[in-house]
Amino acid sequence: MTHMQASVLMVLVVLARSIAYLFSKTLLGEVAPLCLLALRFGLAFALLAIMFRKQLLAASRAELARGLGLGGLLAALMFCEMLALKIADITVVSFIENTAVVLVPLAAAALFGVKLRASSMCCALVALGGVALLTVCGTHASIGAGDGFAMAAAVLYALFIVVTARFSRACDPIVLGVA
């Protein structure tokens, strides 16, 4: 993949994610969060299981168990995200949840002993402090339940990324994603 193709792909991912926030916020006015998640996960699993049935049938129990664990982690983070979107402003939820980018190296260090440079740790802490200041001092004077659910989603998202990276070294990534 060229640098240009990677850049275009990244823009498309950000665009798709932004659209997903809008659709989720809109649908939450009509559908309960757990129902929405059941629909999303059910449809995604059905389509992917059909497309990758050969890999699923050839998968070991350990791969399926790890995929199921990752699915549970993803479901928990999506549930927190849905609750945050239901009760908080979409821009605040998006802003807070995207702190997962900063939390990933911290989660890797905490869970798997990945060594962080002091400068990386300092940058992460400054970024998190900035997010805290912007969130608390921005549109409202306190941290609400929606902010808390968004932060929980960010932490779970960081954990999901780190654990997926670790599991995908030993397992078929397709099986992890579908199971």
Side-chain angles (χ1 to χ4, degrees):
M1 181 179 291
T2 68
H3 181 67
M4 177 58 100
Q5 289 170 326
S7 296
V8 168
L9 183 59
M10 182 58 92
V11 168
L12 291 174
V13 167
V14 169
L15 182 63
R17 185 73 175 130
S18 299
I19 291 170
Y21 273 117
L22 290 172
F23 280 131
S24 294
K25 181 75 171 177
T26 303
L27 285 171
L28 285 169
E30 304 295 325
V31 180
L34 283 176
C35 291
L36 181 57
L37 286 177
L39 182 63
R40 286 175 71 178
F41 275 70
L43 285 173
F45 175 76
L47 291 172
L48 292 172
I50 291 168
M51 290 173 53
F52 299 107
R53 64 186 169 279
K54 289 179 185 174
Q55 287 94 329
L56 282 177
L57 292 173
S60 69
R61 285 185 148 190
E63 286 178 313
L64 293 173
R66 287 179 175 175
L68 186 61
L70 284 175
L73 190 56
L74 182 62
L77 95 82
M78 294 300 296
F79 184 64
C80 288
E81 180 181 291
M82 292 295 120
L83 291 176
L85 285 171
K86 189 158 181 74
I87 59 178
D89 185 54
I90 190 172
T91 56
V92 172
V93 173
S94 175
F95 183 69
I96 294 172
E97 193 171 333
N98 283 305
T99 61
V101 172
V102 177
L103 296 173
V104 167
L106 299 176
L111 289 177
F112 301 116
V114 174
K115 299 291 183 204
L116 290 180
R117 295 186 317 226
S119 61
S120 296
M121 182 67 84
C122 183
C123 290
L125 293 174
V126 168
L128 289 173
V131 168
L133 287 173
L134 287 170
T135 302
V136 173
C137 299
T139 58
H140 52 291
S142 65
I143 296 176
D147 300 338
F149 284 122
M151 188 46 111
V155 169
L156 290 169
Y157 197 24
L159 291 173
F160 178 77
I161 291 168
V162 171
V163 173
T164 299
R166 182 58 60 112
F167 283 177
S168 65
R169 292 180 192 152
C171 298
D172 180 358
I174 298 287
V175 172
L176 287 176
V178 176

